[in-house]
Amino acid sequence: MNSPLRRTKSRFFDKRKGRDPATLASVVAFTAWRLGLNTIKGMRSAQFEIEANPQYFEVLREYLVFLVQVADRFALARLSLPERRAFTVSIVKRLAELVAENQSRLLDESYDDVRRRFIDLYNSRTDDYAQLDFGETEGSHYDFMRVCSLALAAVVAPQDRAWLADQLMSFEAPEAISTLRKAMDNLIGTAGSILAPPDDEAEDGPFPEMPGVDAPVDDPIPPE
């Protein structure tokens, strides 16, 4: 799989300028989107039956939720809790928009309904990932990949389920995790500073106010 870093912005050129978490999230969201599309392409090349129908977007949504959880854990190690909160809310919002833009256009579904379903799916999966450890060394992502493979097994074709975990954990997910880590390190490393998120960061978004800064870091985003 060719890294999306070769085709998407992964660093800032003006290193003197501060960037807010939402700006970081917008770039990471697009990288995650490209990773999702590349993963489905890789699975198709491996003879998985993923047609351009509702199943395609079911697979894509589950994989994008997994990538958001990975990016959130990388943010935990690199940003303050308020910054991480703003980052994660922003990346979920942007991916919900990307999914809705494409699914509503290709399958003639309601944009708002598709967007809401992605957010609901993210919220429903948060507890599954929140209880898992996640490190940055090789082999420390096994539990995250296992949860993702179990979620994907429910939406892929029955004949593909036996091979899904191996395809995901041996080929697709490790490279995606590495790509996200590099993207976040490049972006944070080339940002002049990380600007504090505004107090009303969630006011216009699909989420209400996130848990307070003293809440457990793995609290899920509350439903709307």
Side-chain angles (χ1 to χ4, degrees):
M1 180 170 63
N2 293 324
S3 172
L5 283 177
R6 297 179 180 178
R7 300 187 302 277
T8 61
K9 177 180 178 181
S10 62
R11 63 184 67 243
F12 297 113
F13 292 102
D14 186 354
K15 298 181 181 180
R16 299 166 299 177
K17 184 178 179 181
R19 316 285 173 167
D20 61 19
T23 300
L24 302 178
S26 67
V27 182
V28 176
F30 190 65
T31 299
W33 176 256
R34 296 301 296 266
L35 284 168
L37 299 182
N38 279 5
T39 289
I40 292 180
K41 181 179 179 180
M43 293 175 70
R44 282 174 158 177
S45 296
Q47 306 305 310
F48 284 78
E49 294 186 15
I50 305 175
E51 302 300 330
N53 58 27
Q55 182 213 26
Y56 181 100
F57 286 99
E58 289 176 350
V59 172
L60 181 60
R61 286 195 301 268
E62 288 286 3
Y63 195 68
L64 290 176
V65 166
F66 160 72
L67 293 179
V68 173
Q69 296 290 343
V70 171
D72 177 67
R73 293 300 182 94
F74 287 143
L76 170 63
R78 292 160 174 78
L79 302 174
S80 69
L81 184 55
E83 292 165 353
R84 175 202 181 190
R85 181 178 64 184
F87 172 86
T88 301
V89 168
S90 295
I91 194 172
V92 173
K93 286 170 59 177
R94 183 59 188 136
L95 287 174
E97 292 166 355
L98 287 169
V99 171
E101 288 165 6
N102 286 269
Q103 187 169 344
S104 62
R105 175 172 53 85
L106 294 175
L107 301 182
D108 195 27
E109 297 185 26
S110 164
Y111 175 97
D112 290 338
D113 288 348
V114 174
R115 177 173 170 271
R116 181 69 256 175
R117 288 204 301 271
F118 181 83
I119 295 168
D120 288 344
L121 178 65
Y122 173 81
N123 284 331
S124 72
R125 295 284 182 253
T126 298
D127 284 343
D128 296 335
Y129 288 97
Q131 60 188 315
L132 303 176
D133 291 330
F134 183 90
E136 300 205 22
T137 59
E138 185 176 353
S140 63
H141 315 128
Y142 175 85
D143 287 340
F144 262 53
M145 294 187 291
R146 177 181 55 80
V147 168
C148 180
S149 66
L150 289 173
L152 288 174
V155 296
V156 299
Q159 65 269 23
D160 291 334
R161 291 170 185 164
W163 320 108
L164 176 64
D166 183 63
Q167 178 71 18
L168 183 77
M169 300 169 75
S170 298
F171 300 103
E172 309 297 342
E175 186 167 352
I177 291 170
S178 177
T179 297
L180 279 180
R181 179 172 54 237
K182 290 175 183 176
M184 293 188 66
D185 284 342
N186 287 344
L187 290 167
I188 293 172
T190 56
S193 61
I194 304 299
L195 303 177
D199 292 337
D200 60 347
E201 62 197 21
E203 181 178 345
D204 297 324
F207 311 105
E209 187 66 23
M210 293 277 288
V213 295
D214 57 344
V217 294
D218 288 319
D219 271 8
I221 297 174
E224 195 169 41

